[in-house]
């Protein structure tokens, strides 16, 4: 069955629009497990952290970026409350961790993270089946998003690629109210990197989507996304 038809099924759309299951990590302050508060614009991961550190976002919103040879910032991913990131490789395949050390994670708003180790995470999910299920669910959602991004770059024109990216960003927000207001931290430059076009062209595409009634522009540069309209019209 074609993947686009599968994504259009109501039960899958509903699942995609649900917020990820939160990881219930119990921790006590030790040298290997500590809480860290990060202000907006500050790096989440520090050079003093262990190479096998895992980060659990208790509160806030952060982004993972890389920098090109010319110093240009490129958005890789964004993480919401309840997300895990860092050294998340459960195998020794080199491609799983290729380039991960070059990612920089920055707080998009004041945030709180639990900094622990990969060994501590494995111990936790080994004794907590619900945490393991939550981890698998989170991985499945990330794989689905990655597949849709690749598919959009290969199969679809820029306007549809932008609509799909906005749909996926909205699907990761908690709650089910439509339209979904995205964070002001999602810039036109970020969207341009995600769909492979220039920032001015993204601005033009946003105007087209707004005229079609698929999104709405709000104050402070925020965007409200009508997920149901996008899923019906384009996905």
């Amino acid at each position: 069955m074609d993947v686009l038809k599968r994504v259009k099924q109501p039960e899958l759309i509903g699942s995609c629009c649900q917020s990820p299951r939160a990881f219930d990590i119990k921790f006590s302050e030790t040298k290997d497990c500590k809480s860290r508060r990060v202000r907006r614009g500050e790096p989440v991961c520090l050079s003093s952290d262990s190479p096998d550190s895992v980060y659990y976002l208790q509160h806030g919103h952060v982004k993972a970026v890389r920098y090109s040879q010319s110093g240009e910032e490129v958005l890789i991913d964004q993480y919401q409350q309840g997300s895990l990131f860092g050294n998340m490789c459960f195998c020794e395949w080199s491609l799983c961790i290729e380039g991960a050390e070059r990612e920089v994670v920055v707080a998009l708003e004041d945030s709180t993270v639990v900094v622990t180790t990969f060994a501590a995470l494995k111990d936790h999910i080994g004794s907590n089946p619900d945490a393991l299920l939550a981890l698998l669910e989170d991985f499945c959602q990330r794989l689905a998003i990655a597949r849709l991004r690749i598919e959009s770059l290969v199969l679809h024109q820029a306007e549809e690629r932008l609509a799909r990216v906005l749909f996926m960003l909205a699907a990761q927000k908690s709650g089910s109210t439509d339209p979904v207001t995205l964070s002001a931290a999602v810039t036109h430059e970020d969207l341009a990197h995600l769909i492979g076009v220039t920032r001015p062209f993204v601005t033009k595409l946003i105007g087209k989507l707004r005229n079609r009634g698929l999104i709405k522009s709000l104050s402070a540069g925020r965007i409200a996304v009508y997920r149901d309209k996008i899923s019906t019209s384009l996905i």
Side-chain angles (χ1 to χ4, degrees):
M1 182 185 296
D2 185 77
V3 67
L4 297 185
K5 295 179 180 179
R6 292 204 303 270
V7 173
K8 283 191 70 172
Q9 293 177 1
E11 64 270 20
L12 292 180
I13 290 292
S15 176
C16 187
C17 293
Q18 292 174 359
S19 57
R21 186 187 306 188
F23 295 89
D24 184 18
I25 293 182
K26 308 294 184 182
F27 73 98
S28 57
E29 292 284 342
T30 68
K31 66 176 182 177
D32 295 325
C33 194
K34 54 186 179 294
S35 179
R36 174 181 297 163
R37 293 184 179 181
V38 186
R39 292 188 176 276
R40 178 181 178 182
E42 292 182 346
V44 174
C45 311
L46 305 180
S47 59
S48 57
D49 294 342
S50 170
D52 70 338
S53 291
V54 174
Y55 304 84
Y56 170 66
L57 188 58
Q58 282 187 319
H59 170 75
H61 185 193
V62 304
K63 65 177 179 179
V65 301
R66 290 190 191 178
Y67 293 92
S68 66
Q69 292 183 345
S70 62
E72 183 181 16
E73 180 183 290
V74 179
L75 177 67
I76 301 299
D77 209 343
Q78 294 193 33
Y79 302 110
Q80 309 282 347
Q81 178 177 328
S83 294
L84 281 169
F85 55 94
N87 180 13
M88 297 287 291
C89 184
F90 284 83
C91 68
E92 297 181 357
W93 193 27
S94 60
L95 289 180
C96 290
I97 57 175
E98 175 65 28
E101 70 281 359
R102 296 194 294 270
E103 290 184 3
V104 178
V105 181
V106 180
L108 293 172
E109 59 186 53
D110 291 350
S111 303
T112 304
V113 297
V114 172
V115 185
T116 185
T117 64
F118 184 64
L121 173 65
K122 288 198 296 184
D123 288 343
H124 177 69
I125 62 177
S127 60
N128 188 333
D130 287 340
L132 177 58
L133 289 174
L135 180 64
L136 290 173
E137 181 178 322
D138 184 62
F139 273 24
C140 286
Q141 290 179 352
R142 294 186 192 192
L143 285 171
I145 290 172
R147 179 170 181 171
L148 286 174
R149 285 180 179 174
I150 295 171
E151 185 181 85
S152 292
L153 288 171
V154 173
L155 298 177
H156 305 296
Q157 298 298 318
E159 184 174 345
E160 185 170 348
R161 295 204 303 270
L162 178 59
R164 285 167 170 259
V165 164
L166 292 172
F167 176 86
M168 288 186 286
L169 291 173
Q172 295 175 65
K173 298 280 286 186
S174 60
S176 57
T177 303
D178 219 20
V180 176
T181 301
L182 302 183
S183 168
V186 182
T187 66
H188 288 197
E189 191 73 32
D190 292 334
L191 294 172
H193 287 309
L194 288 173
I195 67 171
V197 300
T198 64
R199 186 199 58 75
F201 193 43
V202 159
T203 301
K204 180 179 179 180
L205 294 176
I206 285 177
K208 289 185 176 181
L209 294 179
R210 184 173 57 244
N211 292 338
R212 294 176 62 180
L214 302 180
I215 64 173
K216 179 170 62 175
S217 295
L218 305 176
S219 60
R222 294 178 301 165
I223 300 174
V225 179
Y226 291 94
R227 295 176 299 184
D228 290 343
K229 290 183 180 180
I230 291 177
S231 67
T232 301
S233 302
L234 297 177
I235 297 181

